[in-house]
Amino acid sequence: MNILVVGGGGREHAIIQKLKEDPRVTHIYALPGSGGIAADAVCLGGSATDIPAAVEAAKRCAADFVVVAPDDPLVLGMVDAMEAEGFPCFGPRKNAAVIEGSKAFAKDLMKRYGIPTAAYETFTDMAQALAYVDACPLPAVVKADGLALGKGVLICETRDAAREAVRSMMEGRLFGESGATVVVESFLTGPEVSVLSFTDGETIVPMVSSMDHKRALDGDKGLNTGGMGAVAPNPCYTPEIAAACMEQIFLPTIRAMKAEGRPFKGCLYFGLMLTPDGPKVIEYNCRFGDPETQVVLPLLESSLLEIMLAVREGRLTGTEVRFSEKSACCVILASEGYPQAYGKGFPITLPETAAHERIYIAGAALKDGQLVTSGGRVLGATAVAENLPAAIERAYALADRIRFDNAYCRRDIGRRALEALQCRM
Ligand code: AMP
Ligand code: GLY
């Protein structure tokens, strides 16, 4: 089979490597791909959000199956456009991708179907939003409605900060048109868990749980980033909590989407907070998370291609989705300065890897045959081991063998997970 994967980050690299384990895959293409993905797929370049060009690319490579991985093309309707030309896809259609594309949609869905989430109000009028944050409980969480590269959330400790957040989103368009509508919600506390799931719209199969590390600096300090590392499984997510999430969140969500005439087929990501009042949804994503995918897929023992085909064909029930009992840790090597300004173009030296190690490339380009840094998050160093402490140690041992100037990583990926593990023992 010829497979086209849309995207070009560490997540897509992990998806491509996993798909290639299925002997039915003969050719694999990435759009745009990256200098690092070029080792595993034919990279087509271009833009993941240019839908007509992507459909033409699918024709040129005679794609038998298309995997649309990033949020923007999904929210823009790339799956609909591909299907209209006869290309079967993994990923939700536009009317289902809205679960990530509009926070106001997601919050209203949860309210109407009784799915636990933070209390909230939605505003399209700035004066009303300002009046609301003048009286609401603090801290207030102010969110731009649309996609904002994971950065559209401001947690405001003071009234002044909340007013400023509303103004900068609605008037200053800090996150562009995403801020035309804002959601103000109450602040929740508790450990965060990411649960990615496969769903064909009827059946939902959660993957192994994981924990992201969003802040740039050790101790969860510094700015929010796309994610500086991840571990799986997440020790806070006990079997009892998983059962409660299935009953109160996962099944109700896919039933709600179906009832709304928006059946969700693809990977539905639940960003959860385990609050003192039980698990609540912080966010939905309509796609695999990054870096979570870089720890979840290495633990998948079944064929990713077979699962994706089953999702597409509505036969997920009866399809094997088996995860290893082992643990995985991914340490992101970033360019010093990320998520703000950083230098680029530094040559990367990659070591030989053992069977338990994976290097997923995100921000790197090929220049005269040499891999050089080209992005903020450069790559993910992932290791699998019998348990979490060993996976963390192995991931750092791998990260420390990778060389490029200006490399930066957090040194405490997995520490909070280890602390949670100790509490349970
Ligand atoms: P989101 O983009 O919605 O995932 O938000 C980014 C991060 O902001 C989350 O991972 C949480 O750490 C934090 N966050 C979002 N909403 C809330 C909330 N209601 N209460 C506390 N923290 C939140
Ligand atoms: N790691 C969070 C996300 O992919 O949105």
Side-chain angles (χ1 to χ4, degrees):
M1 290 176 77
N2 296 335
I3 314 284
L4 172 63
V5 175
V6 176
R11 163 184 58 203
E12 287 77 10
H13 200 184
I15 290 172
I16 286 168
Q17 285 195 0
K18 197 47 138 184
L19 285 171
K20 282 177 69 179
E21 291 176 10
D22 192 298
R24 287 172 290 181
V25 175
T26 47
H27 295 93
I28 194 150
Y29 301 88
L31 187 163
S34 75
I37 291 177
D40 288 293
V42 176
C43 294
L44 303 176
S47 156
T49 51
D50 185 341
I51 292 180
V55 172
E56 285 311 307
K59 289 181 187 164
R60 273 202 317 281
C61 48
D64 298 301
F65 195 58
V66 180
V67 178
V68 183
D71 46 0
D72 334 34
L74 289 167
V75 170
L76 289 170
M78 187 180 281
V79 166
D80 309 58
M82 289 284 181
E83 286 180 347
E85 294 287 335
F87 295 105
C89 292
F90 179 86
R93 292 185 185 157
K94 184 176 182 173
N95 72 354
V98 68
I99 199 166
E100 174 171 3
S102 166
K103 288 193 172 28
F105 170 87
K107 296 294 292 190
D108 290 346
L109 185 85
M110 288 186 268
K111 187 189 263 181
R112 273 184 287 123
Y113 290 86
I115 298 165
T117 188
Y120 73 101
E121 293 290 335
T122 301
F123 300 95
T124 49
D125 179 274
M126 192 170 75
Q128 284 176 11
L130 289 172
Y132 181 79
V133 298
D134 265 337
C136 74
L138 292 173
V141 183
V142 182
K143 300 187 171 186
D145 176 55
L147 297 181
L149 294 169
K151 297 183 186 113
V153 175
L154 296 174
I155 295 175
C156 309
E157 309 276 347
T158 64
R159 300 239 173 263
D160 279 346
R163 278 191 284 262
E164 175 56 27
V166 167
R167 279 208 190 88
S168 64
M169 284 186 198
M170 300 191 84
E171 197 173 54
R173 288 290 199 263
L174 178 61
F175 304 109
E177 281 311 302
S178 288
T181 301
V182 300
V183 172
V184 183
E185 65 177 36
S186 60
F187 180 74
L188 302 178
T189 55
E192 287 186 53
V193 181
S194 304
V195 180
L196 286 59
S197 67
F198 294 109
T199 173
D200 60 8
E202 299 276 344
T203 299
I204 183 159
V205 181
M207 300 181 220
V208 62
S209 62
S210 52
M211 184 189 284
D212 189 6
H213 297 67
K214 286 197 165 79
R215 301 290 204 93
L217 307 176
D218 283 15
D220 294 324
K221 303 263 180 345
L223 295 172
N224 259 319
T225 70
M228 293 301 293
V231 295
N234 183 328
C236 304
Y237 190 71
T238 61
E240 297 71 42
I241 294 173
C245 289
M246 182 56 102
E247 284 313 306
Q248 296 161 19
I249 296 174
F250 305 159
L251 285 169
T253 300
I254 58 158
R255 287 182 189 140
M257 290 297 279
K258 188 179 168 203
E260 295 287 311
R262 303 169 182 271
F264 190 102
K265 288 173 179 251
C267 173
L268 183 54
Y269 166 127
F270 298 86
L272 305 173
M273 197 169 269
L274 308 181
T275 77
D277 301 328
K280 295 194 178 178
V281 177
I282 290 281
E283 64 163 346
Y284 292 115
N285 290 328
C286 66
R287 47 155 180 99
F288 285 92
D290 202 358
E292 289 94 328
T293 304
Q294 302 185 46
V295 286
V296 168
L297 289 187
L299 297 175
L300 178 63
E301 293 180 335
S302 312
S303 161
L304 179 61
L305 177 66
E306 182 54 28
I307 297 168
M308 287 183 160
L309 291 171
V311 163
R312 153 77 198 173
E313 292 157 17
R315 51 177 181 80
L316 190 54
T317 307
T319 298
E320 183 194 70
V321 183
R322 194 181 66 244
F323 283 87
S324 144
E325 297 288 312
K326 295 182 178 177
S327 298
C329 174
C330 171
V331 175
I332 298 292
L333 288 189
S335 303
E336 178 84 55
Y338 171 76
Q340 290 173 303
Y342 52 83
K344 295 183 194 179
F346 301 107
I348 305 171
T349 312
L350 297 179
E352 292 289 319
T353 49
H356 64 267
E357 296 172 329
R358 301 267 183 290
I359 299 174
Y360 299 123
I361 311 283
L366 279 175
K367 201 173 150 207
D368 305 325
Q370 165 70 49
L371 203 57
V372 299
T373 64
S374 68
R377 289 191 297 174
V378 175
L379 55 85
T382 292
V384 172
E386 289 304 320
N387 54 47
L388 190 57
I392 295 169
E393 199 180 309
R394 283 178 166 184
Y396 276 106
L398 174 60
D400 290 340
R401 288 180 358 248
I402 299 169
R403 303 256 177 263
F404 58 90
D405 282 352
N406 236 23
Y408 167 76
C409 68
R410 272 179 64 163
R411 298 302 316 183
D412 66 343
I413 301 303
R415 189 173 298 161
R416 261 185 304 123
L418 286 181
E419 285 162 7
L421 202 58
Q422 269 145 18
C423 295
R424 279 180 59 190
M425 288 194 302

